[in-house]
Amino acid sequence: MTETVSATTFRNFIGGKWSASASGESYEKRNPWRPDEVTGVYAASIADDAIAAVEAAVDAFPSWSALPAPARAAFFFKAADAIEARVEQIAQDMTAEMGKPLREARMESARAATILRYSAGEAYRPAGEVYEPSVGNQTLYTRRRPLGVVGLITPWNFPVAIPVWKLAPALIYGNTVVLKLGFEAPRTGLHIAECFAEAGLPAGVLNVVTGSGSTVGAELVSNRHVRALSFTGSVAVGHAVRNEATARNCRVQLELGGHNPFIVMADAELDRATEAAFAGAFWSAGQKCTATRRILVQDAVYDAFRERLLARIAAAKVGDPADPVTEVGPVVAAGPFEEIMAAIERGKGEGGTVAAGGVRADDRGYLIAPTVFENVADDAFLSCEEVFGPVTSLYRFSTLDEALGRANAVEFGLSAAIFTRDLHATQRFANELQAGILHINSQTAGADVHVPFGGLKNSAWGPHEQGRAAMEFYTETVTVYQDAPLG
């Protein structure tokens, strides 16, 4: 695609320089609220661009890894300041290119600075342990060392938070990075490169490329200089990445899909549960792996909860994501829009009934009304497969045993929530629910920067992300036996 003169053109960041794709090709990104608006033109990178980025990271690794960790952290503080200075611009760009409501985009943009500051603090945390030796005059300890070049393949749905929570631990522990941004939200991610450039980060430490995963991502997966790969995306693509990369002994971390249950017990605070279910299912137009996909409600309060949820949906602000009061905006692009609408039709065809939504809500934008299904069979498509949009389903249950069993009866295990005042129920939920992130009396989405984030079953593979857990993936352990000199 040739570059248009009506939109700003953006380039890759490789070796500390801004450069066009080696092919000279580019692609347009359009506003999902008003698709006739081009929000930017981006480098349609090819394998040669990925190779150049890897080579720059290889060259930068010796000096970056030798730099004391507190000196590395100094760049993080400067980059965090730069992000905070442009939070509003990042948020507006995010809203324009992928449709996230402005109020959510502002929160995500500010969170990126928080993640950087947390990771900077890792420079002052232990990176090894001292052990009692089994012989005299010996010191026995472990050290954590960086791996080398790390490839990061990130999605479009959290276009600043996910790239930052991957690259921050990778860099602070001494690795160099090649970051492949989500195809549908490149402008947001390029702000990260701009902020690190403003911070004076040495050339080649962070390299950022845009374009298709089938070209750039594929090169990162196969390149022998890439020692580790962290991927967030679909199950099918993630498993393909894992299989190819691990075959060459590359370390792999996957964060994949979710089909997250939300259990409402008879003793729940229904108003709180309703608000949490609405937020979990429909914020970000349901385009997040931690979104609420299945709402299981105990018989005694099913009708009361249903009434509250439908009333909350009817009162929701749905529409222009640039309006600060909007709660639900469009989905990211035409392709996902068509997939979600097809899933809604499949749900109807398999016997589900639509209690709310199920229709296009704007004749120009890719806006889908918040959708709630009922009477969906446990083995139906909507009960088993992730629909990445503003679609959830209501189910009745009788006992806690039934709720836990049905909640666990999918291949995914990322996040789950329960609303109850019963300590016994919360203990069983914490012990038996098969998910990596458990919420008691809060929504299924949300993640603090200082604790592990990751799923079980087909929702993840490899060590979890964020917090101290990130060290497990981005470093390798070396055991050192140091004997005292004899003389």
Side-chain angles (χ1 to χ4, degrees), residues 327-347:
E327 298 174 289
V328 183
V331 298
V332 68
F337 174 85
E338 297 297 337
E339 291 175 4
I340 297 164
M341 294 305 296
I344 289 172
E345 291 306 309
R346 180 170 178 177

Side-chain angles (χ1 to χ4, degrees), residues 341 344-345 348 354-361 368-373 390-391:
M341 294 305 296
I344 289 172
E345 291 306 309
K348 296 175 185 177
V354 176
V359 297
R360 184 171 193 161
I368 299 172
T371 299
V372 177
F373 271 86
V391 181

Side-chain angles (χ1 to χ4, degrees), residues 2-27:
T2 58
E3 296 183 1
T4 63
V5 296
S6 59
T8 303
T9 298
F10 299 94
R11 304 178 187 278
N12 293 325
F13 185 67
I14 298 175
K17 299 179 180 179
W18 297 97
S19 57
S21 168
S23 69
E25 296 294 310
S26 60
Y27 72 97

